[in-house]
Amino acid sequence: MTDSDGALAANRTFYRAFSERDVALMDALWAVQAPVLCIHPGWPPLIGRAAVLHSWHGILNNAMAPKIVFHEGRPLVHAGLILVVGNEIIGDALLVATNGFVVEDRQWRLVFHQAGHQVTEIEDPTALPRGPLH
Amino acid sequence: MTDSDGALAANRTFYRAFSERDVALMDALWAVQAPVLCIHPGWPPLIGRAAVLHSWHGILNNAMAPKIVFHEGRPLVHAGLILVVGNEIIGDALLVATNGFVVEDRQWRLVFHQAGHQVTEIEDPTALPRGPLH
């Protein structure tokens, strides 16, 4: 299994924990020693395992939370850390999410999650921006 | 200079290039060999140096672009890659941005930028989430 395969498998596990509301699986996915950062859409950044996991407990235990679908992500492999970017569909909303993984105790673990709403479609990514200025 | 100092200095250079609309400085900041990913607020992800820099050229050359202010970021140091997270203020909007840096040719260079609007204030980060469900 390549590093890329390992990170993509961990990414699928993350979305399984998310969609199945599996708190224990979510807890086990986040790194223990490495510093962690999580930015939910619209939220201020959460830094540190306690704050990050507390936010996920609230989300996963919320019976009103809509269904989530994740499209297989695309890995960007850096030495020591792999970023996986892809689209999430939560209820009617389209989001872009980036997840960062490192190896800790021989397992790929999450150190980063940032998700935000995608409101523009740019069919030609080299076209001049038509969306928000930044 | 520690790795953390180096990444924070590169982060300040990024916001200098952004606020001063310095296209050459922005171009020089993004990694050449390492894979790059940029997600502007509301946009789909841009992958690859050509697409990323093209988007920045459009933004930096837009005379209508509002002023940007960046508050000193907080570094999260991973082996080989440092994430810096902080708030941007663009016009009247409050955003959260994460920037990722690696060393390439002995310089700290950007491989990742993701920014999104911050709409909720959570004073106690361990409080139950009151904002969007995710």
Side-chain angles (χ1 to χ4, degrees):
Chain A
M1 188 185 274
T2 65
D3 284 355
S4 181
D5 291 339
L8 285 173
N11 198 55
R12 284 190 292 271
T13 303
F14 169 71
Y15 284 102
R16 184 155 54 87
F18 196 168
S19 62
E20 296 179 0
R21 307 178 182 289
D22 188 331
V23 170
L25 187 58
M26 182 64 82
D27 283 8
L29 258 176
W30 284 87
V32 176
Q33 285 103 39
V36 298
L37 166 65
C38 181
I39 305 168
H40 301 293
W43 288 38
L46 303 177
I47 297 176
R49 187 176 161 86
V52 170
L53 288 185
H54 194 79
S55 75
W56 280 108
H57 293 182
I59 290 164
L60 299 180
N61 288 324
N62 185 331
M64 301 291 286
K67 189 163 181 265
I68 175 164
V69 175
F70 182 76
H71 294 281
E72 177 78 358
R74 181 160 164 186
L76 291 98
V77 179
H78 297 284
L81 192 148
I82 295 182
L83 295 171
V84 180
V85 63
N87 281 118
E88 299 175 351
I89 297 172
I90 301 184
D92 295 330
L94 174 66
L95 295 98
V96 183
T98 308
N99 300 313
F101 298 89
V102 302
V103 172
E104 195 179 75
D105 297 334
R106 300 188 187 179
Q107 304 203 348
W108 285 96
R109 289 194 179 144
L110 261 175
V111 290
F112 174 66
H113 171 77
Q114 182 168 1
H117 290 271
Q118 179 175 322
V119 294
T120 63
E121 287 287 347
I122 299 179
E123 283 151 23
D124 173 6
T126 64
L128 277 175
R130 294 177 296 160
L133 293 170
H134 171 65
Chain B
M1 188 185 273
T2 65
D3 284 355
S4 182
D5 291 338
L8 285 173
N11 198 55
R12 284 190 293 271
T13 302
F14 169 71
Y15 284 102
R16 183 154 55 86
F18 195 168
S19 61
E20 296 179 0
R21 306 177 182 290
D22 189 330
V23 170
L25 188 58
M26 183 63 82
D27 282 7
L29 258 176
W30 284 88
V32 176
Q33 285 103 37
V36 297
L37 166 64
C38 181
I39 305 168
H40 300 292
W43 288 39
L46 302 177
I47 296 176
R49 188 175 159 86
V52 170
L53 289 186
H54 195 79
S55 75
W56 281 107
H57 293 182
I59 290 165
L60 300 180
N61 289 323
N62 185 331
M64 302 290 287
K67 188 164 182 262
I68 175 165
V69 175
F70 182 74
H71 294 281
E72 178 78 357
R74 181 161 165 184
L76 292 99
V77 179
H78 297 284
L81 193 149
I82 295 183
L83 296 171
V84 180
V85 62
N87 281 118
E88 298 175 352
I89 297 172
I90 300 185
D92 295 330
L94 174 66
L95 296 97
V96 183
T98 307
N99 299 313
F101 298 90
V102 302
V103 172
E104 195 179 76
D105 298 334
R106 300 186 186 179
Q107 305 203 347
W108 285 95
R109 289 195 179 143
L110 260 175
V111 291
F112 175 66
H113 171 78
Q114 182 168 1
H117 290 270
Q118 179 175 321
V119 294
T120 63
E121 287 287 347
I122 299 178
E123 284 152 22
D124 173 6
T126 64
L128 277 176
R130 293 178 295 158
L133 293 169
H134 170 65

